[in-house]
Amino acid sequence: GIYRAIPHDGSLWLIYTAVPGAFYADSIVEIDLATQTARTVINLGAFEADNNPDGNEIDSNVTDIAWAADGSLLISDAGANTLYSWTADAGLAVVATWSENSVPTSVEIGEDGSVYVGFLGAGLAPGAGKIEHWSNGELVETFGGLTTVTDILLDGEDLYAVQMFLFGEQGPGPGNVVKVTAEGAEVVQGDLPAPFAIAKGGDGALYVTTGTLVMGPDITGGVYKIFQ
C-alpha cells in the first residue's frame, strides 16, 4: 500500500510499496491536487529488475524522496540499496549504491545542497544504523553507531533521527528520537513504541508516527507530538 504521502508544489507524491506485481508496487505516483489525476508514475521496481544496481537479489522498496534545488528528485530505495536521481527528461539515474546491504530508508537535502541519507543498518544489528552526509557527490561525514534508523529530519542545522527500536536484555524494545551531531546522539524523546516517521509542524513541534511493529498487545498506531 501507500508508504508515504508527501505534498509538493501543488501535487501529492505517493510512495507505494507492495509485493511484486501488485498495483503501483515499488513506484512513486504524482497526483495533481487540483484535478485529482495521476500525472507521473516512476516505476522503481522495473528499473531494479532491469539494472539491479547493488548486485544483490532483485528487490525494490522505495522509502523516501526529496527535491534538489535544480528540480531533480532524489529517491532512496531500501530494497535496491540505492539512492537515485530522477527528472522527467532524463528519467532515473543511480547516484550511489551500497552493496553491503546498508538499507537506505530516508533522504534529506540541506539548504547548501548537501544530501543526508539515513540507513536501517545491515541485519538490523545494534549500532549498524547510520546517517551519511554527502556534498558535491562526495561522502564527507558519517554519523555511525545508530540503530534501525527509519527516518531523518534536517531542520536548519539540526539533524534528527528516528530509531525504530533499541536492544535491551530482553531483545528489541521501544525506540526513540535523537538529535545527531559529530559528538554523538542526544535523546530528544525516548520510550516510543516502534516509531517510524518524523516531521516538523508549523507550530515548531516534532511529530512522530508510532506503532510500526506490533511488539506487544498494547502497541497501536499513533502520532506523538514532541514539544521542543
Side-chain angles (χ1 to χ4, degrees), residues 8 65-74 85-87 108-110 113-115:
H8 177 75
I65 56 177
W67 283 266
D70 63 2
S72 61
L73 185 65
L74 291 185
S85 66
W86 176 87
T87 65
E108 288 275 273
I109 300 176
S114 292
V115 176

Side-chain angles (χ1 to χ4, degrees), residues 8-209:
H8 177 75
D9 197 23
S11 293
L12 188 64
W13 293 74
L14 304 178
I15 297 177
Y16 286 85
T17 181
V19 296
F23 183 69
Y24 281 155
D26 306 315
S27 296
I28 299 168
V29 179
E30 177 196 7
I31 304 295
D32 187 303
L33 290 175
T35 63
Q36 302 296 303
T37 56
R39 294 292 187 185
T40 304
V41 178
I42 309 171
N43 191 331
L44 278 295
F47 190 95
E48 164 71 2
D50 292 341
N51 299 277
N52 191 16
D54 69 353
N56 298 322
E57 64 180 315
I58 301 298
D59 182 18
S60 176
N61 180 12
V62 189
T63 49
D64 202 7
I65 56 177
W67 283 266
D70 63 2
S72 61
L73 185 65
L74 291 185
I75 304 166
S76 60
D77 189 322
N81 288 293
T82 298
L83 181 69
Y84 296 102
S85 66
W86 176 87
T87 65
D89 292 334
L92 284 166
V94 173
V95 176
T97 190
W98 295 268
S99 59
E100 70 276 14
N101 198 28
S102 295
V103 193
T105 57
S106 41
V107 58
E108 288 275 273
I109 300 176
E111 296 177 357
D112 61 354
S114 292
V115 176
Y116 294 78
V117 183
F119 296 85
L120 198 67
L124 303 177
K130 61 181 178 178
I131 300 171
E132 289 187 356
H133 173 199
W134 291 71
S135 180
N136 297 318
E138 299 290 336
L139 177 62
V140 295
E141 191 173 16
T142 299
F143 306 95
L146 302 172
T147 300
T148 59
V149 174
T150 55
D151 201 12
I152 61 175
L153 171 67
L154 191 61
D155 179 26
E157 295 184 355
D158 292 331
L159 178 62
Y160 298 92
V162 177
Q163 299 184 111
M164 183 167 57
F165 54 81
L166 301 174
F167 291 89
E169 294 181 356
Q170 304 301 318
N176 61 17
V177 173
V178 293
K179 181 183 290 186
V180 181
T181 67
E183 284 71 43
E186 174 189 352
V187 176
V188 175
Q189 179 65 55
D191 200 30
L192 294 173
F196 183 80
I198 184 171
K200 183 177 181 179
D203 57 0
L206 301 177
Y207 290 82
V208 181
T209 60

